[in-house]
Structures are given as C-alpha cells and as structure tokens.
Amino acid sequence: MRRGALPKALLVCAVLVGMYTLTACQGAGRGTAEAAAAPAGAGPTRSGQGPVFLEAEECASRGRAAAAIEEVPCAGPAAAARVLARFNGPLARGPRCPSATDYVLHITAVDGVSEEDSAPEGYACMRNLRPPHPGDPGMGGGPLTVVGDCVYTERRGVVKETVCEGSPARPPEYLVTRTVRTRADCPPSTALYVQVGGGTPVGCARRLA
C-alpha cells in the first residue's frame, strides 16, 4: 500500500472539550435540550501501524488547533489518548460514540490518486490516557451528555453543561438521572428533557435544590 501522499492530505478537526451549549425549551416545568459543539482544525501524522488512520485501540498525541496530531504507539511517551471507536461518514449521521469519550476527532475525506492514497470522511471517539476525563459523568465537558451530568441555565431557553461539584461561578441547576426511549418513560421528577442520542435518546433531568 502506498502511503506517501496520505499524511499530508488528511485533515483532523478536534471537537472542543469544553462547555457544550444545550438549547432548551421549557413549558409547565419541562423542556427539551440538544447538544452542539464547535470544531477546531489540526493536521495529523500517521505512524504506519495500520491501514486506517487512528483505528480503534490505536493512540494519538495531543493536538490543538493548527498543531499536528500524530498516530503514535500507545506505550510511547507521546501517547495522550486512545481511540475507543472509529466510524466512517459524517458525525451528525453516524453512530454515537461510547459514553466514556472525552473528545471526538473528525477526519475529512481525502481523494488521492489511487484507492491506497484515499480515505473516507470519518471520526474517532477518543479517551485520554490520563486524567482529566471531561467526558466522565459530572465533569462538565466531553462531546456527550450522559447520566450524572449537570447543566445550568445560561439564558432563557438555553442551558449549558457544568461540573456537578466545585463550580461556584456556574452552579448546576439540573442533573441528568437516566436516559430513556421516550419522554413518557421519564420519572415524574423530570424538569428538563435532554436529547442525548443513541438507543435511549432522551435524558431525564431533575431540578437540583
């Protein structure tokens, strides 16, 4: 397989590991919420470990906007995160990342001179090898909303994720207690519905005292 042109052509966009905006519509004490995130660009380097850039169980170095993201040996000193899952196609229409995902890398499509030099659009679900883990429940970050996450009201109709403990500037107002198939499956204590995706796409959130 030829690999000479592929490292220069691939482009990775890191979905930011920060506060994620949730749009909420509340009525009669209940509402809806949907997560959104903004991307930042980076250019990757392949380590040659496999035919696919960042396959499941492979590792990457830490990358920022306009900085290189390298595919590196997981036991090496530069390894910062492991691929939990890897999917082809756009993130918006693809499978949901595992709940333990700390951030998502979007890989743009590459049209090379041959099939070996080409790569489809896709995304990698990443987990940091060392703390912090913003995707863990209650940590206030990560690309997914999971059971145990907290949110606060930023303004009318808009809520954002925040850490459940230790954030006096952005104290939590709601706690996601479970995920279910439909709103009717949420408990009576539910004050906010959060769209989380996956097989149980509705998050039931109760108001915190």
Side-chain angles (χ1 to χ4, degrees), residues 44-49 53-55 57-62 68-83 126 129-130:
T45 300
R46 297 171 66 92
S47 68
Q49 297 181 57
F53 178 68
L54 289 179
E55 288 185 293
E57 297 303 317
E58 290 185 336
C59 292
S61 62
R62 177 64 63 200
I69 295 176
E70 298 182 357
E71 183 184 283
V72 297
C74 291
R82 184 186 301 273
V83 181
M126 309 297 295
L129 294 178
R130 294 168 290 277

Side-chain angles (χ1 to χ4, degrees), residues 1-208:
M1 177 180 289
R2 287 173 34 211
R3 304 235 182 120
L6 195 53
K8 297 179 182 178
L10 278 171
L11 177 66
V12 173
C13 294
V15 177
L16 297 178
V17 185
M19 300 297 185
Y20 286 83
T21 302
L22 306 172
T23 55
C25 253
Q26 293 178 299
R30 294 176 180 251
T32 61
E34 189 169 335
T45 300
R46 297 171 66 92
S47 68
Q49 297 181 57
V52 177
F53 178 68
L54 289 179
E55 288 185 293
E57 297 303 317
E58 290 185 336
C59 292
S61 62
R62 177 64 63 200
R64 298 289 184 181
I69 295 176
E70 298 182 357
E71 183 184 283
V72 297
C74 291
R82 184 186 301 273
V83 181
L84 298 181
R86 174 75 155 80
F87 302 107
N88 289 335
L91 176 62
R93 297 195 298 271
R96 186 177 189 267
C97 281
S99 296
T101 300
D102 285 327
Y103 62 98
V104 177
L105 293 178
H106 173 69
I107 296 105
T108 63
V110 174
D111 294 323
V113 296
S114 68
E115 184 178 354
E116 290 81 3
D117 290 333
S118 300
E121 178 182 4
Y123 57 98
C125 310
M126 309 297 295
R127 172 79 174 178
N128 292 330
L129 294 178
R130 294 168 290 277
H133 294 291
D136 283 355
M139 294 303 293
L144 305 172
T145 300
V146 299
V147 172
D149 278 342
C150 295
V151 297
Y152 70 95
T153 303
E154 185 187 44
R155 60 181 184 275
R156 182 180 179 86
V158 178
V159 295
K160 283 188 176 182
E161 192 174 324
T162 186
V163 294
C164 290
E165 296 182 4
S167 179
R170 301 295 187 185
E173 298 176 357
Y174 301 92
L175 171 68
V176 179
T177 59
R178 67 179 69 176
T179 59
V180 295
R181 292 187 178 275
T182 68
R183 293 185 183 187
D185 298 323
C186 285
S189 60
T190 301
L192 184 75
Y193 299 108
V194 181
Q195 186 63 39
V196 299
T200 52
V202 179
C204 314
R206 66 174 175 85
R207 187 182 293 274
L208 297 173

